[in-house]
Amino acid sequence: NELEMYYQPQIDAASGRIIGAEALMRWNHPVRGLIMPAEFLPFAEESGLIVPISEWMIDTLCRDMAQWGTDGANPLTLSLNLSPHYLDHSKFFETMRNALERYDIGPGRIAVEITENICIRNPQYAIEQLRKLGQLGVSVAIDDFGTGYSSLAYLHRFPIQTIKIDQSFVQQISDEDGHYPVVLAIISISRGLNLDLVAEGVETEAQARYLRAHGCSTMQGFLFHRPMPLGGFVNVLNS
Ligand code: C2E
Ligand code: MG
Ligand code: MG
């Protein structure tokens, strides 16, 4: 019981409102302190432990969501990161469907984030997996867009709703009057394909203003909030 889910608010920068949160995993190690996912998830993937960890994650997230309190008209969405290994696992769809039912959560409130690398080996298979997610009623976002093997030949065929601009691109924005062609190109791709766009790793006002000026208004990053435990997130929602 040393794993814990943290939540990072996602903001509509035009209104300043919180519209959702991304769930990020932490390991509270009794001796080593807080361990970040990049440090332990690769071992979980290698050893197969990612399967029970992901099942725990899904149940915990759905249970936690019940405590967010719902503003009926505008329910917040939860983004969760899914390991490709677990997506391949036959139990994923059943686990997800059961958890949504058990905690009475509309699937429309869930966005699954996957990286574009799931599509390298077998794009046709990836498309099928994404379709199955769509059948569950959850939406799909491509995380870290532009850093992996994005195949523009396939992107328009993927049944996805959102792309997330990777923080490495956002962090290049140092001057709001500057010119950042990769960011602009990703914004154009999202428009052309009619996809929602989220910028992550937004740390400065200049970055937020540049992104907004060019048409990306959903953001997450330290400028707004750091990832935080459930209690802190609920406090922020109620403040
Ligand atoms: P990601 O999904 O791209 O998550 C974004 C990462 O950026 C998170 O790191 C977050 O804490 C960090 N971040 C957010 N805002 C800022 C900012 O303004 N500046 C900077 N420098 N960083 C920011 P984190 O939590 O260490 O997660 C790293 C990666 O681990 C995630 O990347 C995701 O791929 C994976 N991961 C995290 N939680 C889970 C999980 O529950 N399940 C799975 N399968 N993967 C997870
Ligand atoms: Mg993510
Ligand atoms: Mg990312």
Side-chain angles (χ1 to χ4, degrees):
N1 290 321
E2 290 168 9
L3 294 180
E4 182 176 2
M5 297 311 300
Y6 273 44
Y7 297 91
Q8 182 176 41
Q10 295 178 323
I11 310 289
D12 171 39
S15 66
R17 282 192 34 231
I18 295 177
I19 56 173
E22 177 174 7
L24 296 158
M25 195 178 289
R26 302 289 181 259
W27 178 0
N28 295 301
H29 192 281
V31 178
R32 295 178 53 193
L34 196 66
I35 307 183
M36 304 304 271
E39 220 180 311
F40 65 88
L41 284 181
F43 298 102
E45 305 256 359
E46 219 169 89
S47 64
L49 273 174
I50 192 69
V51 172
I53 287 177
S54 301
E55 309 229 296
W56 169 86
M57 173 189 79
I58 288 173
D59 193 76
T60 303
L61 295 180
C62 291
R63 200 181 51 213
D64 283 2
M65 268 180 102
Q67 295 191 43
W68 290 11
T70 35
D71 165 2
N74 294 305
L76 303 180
T77 58
L78 170 83
S79 295
L80 59 93
N81 295 284
L82 206 64
S83 145
H85 287 98
Y86 187 57
L87 184 61
D88 278 350
H89 198 264
S90 56
K91 271 173 75 186
F92 165 73
F93 293 94
E94 201 188 313
T95 301
M96 192 79 219
R97 195 178 297 117
N98 287 344
L100 293 173
E101 248 169 48
R102 185 166 340 120
Y103 297 103
D104 194 23
I105 294 167
R109 293 184 61 199
I110 306 283
V112 170
E113 296 187 4
I114 45 158
T115 59
E116 52 203 347
N117 294 345
I118 66 151
C119 312
I120 313 174
R121 269 168 307 157
N122 189 342
Q124 201 49 50
Y125 175 71
I127 290 173
E128 274 163 39
Q129 296 289 84
L130 297 178
R131 279 235 170 82
K132 278 166 79 182
L133 282 170
Q135 281 161 10
L136 270 180
V138 305
S139 69
V140 179
I142 302 284
D143 204 350
D144 307 337
F145 184 78
T147 62
Y149 295 86
S150 24
S151 165
L152 295 177
Y154 278 100
L155 191 61
H156 72 283
R157 291 182 46 204
F158 288 146
I160 59 171
Q161 286 72 38
T162 306
I163 54 183
K164 294 189 79 173
I165 306 184
D166 188 63
Q167 44 182 283
S168 60
F169 303 124
V170 172
Q171 272 148 33
Q172 284 164 16
I173 304 171
S174 53
D175 170 7
E176 66 179 289
D177 299 316
H179 179 64
Y180 302 96
V182 177
V183 172
L184 297 180
I186 294 175
I187 293 173
S188 294
I189 288 175
S190 78
R191 283 223 187 97
L193 295 174
N194 204 13
L195 298 170
D196 293 330
L197 190 62
V198 179
E200 68 180 8
V202 179
E203 295 184 349
T204 67
E205 290 286 356
Q207 289 164 357
R209 279 200 291 265
Y210 184 86
L211 288 161
R212 252 190 83 187
H214 291 93
C216 172
S217 75
T218 308
M219 303 183 196
Q220 57 183 108
F222 296 169
L223 174 65
F224 306 99
H225 296 279
R226 288 183 178 254
M228 58 193 118
L230 176 65
F233 180 57
V234 170
N235 285 341
V236 167
L237 288 179
N238 293 331
S239 65

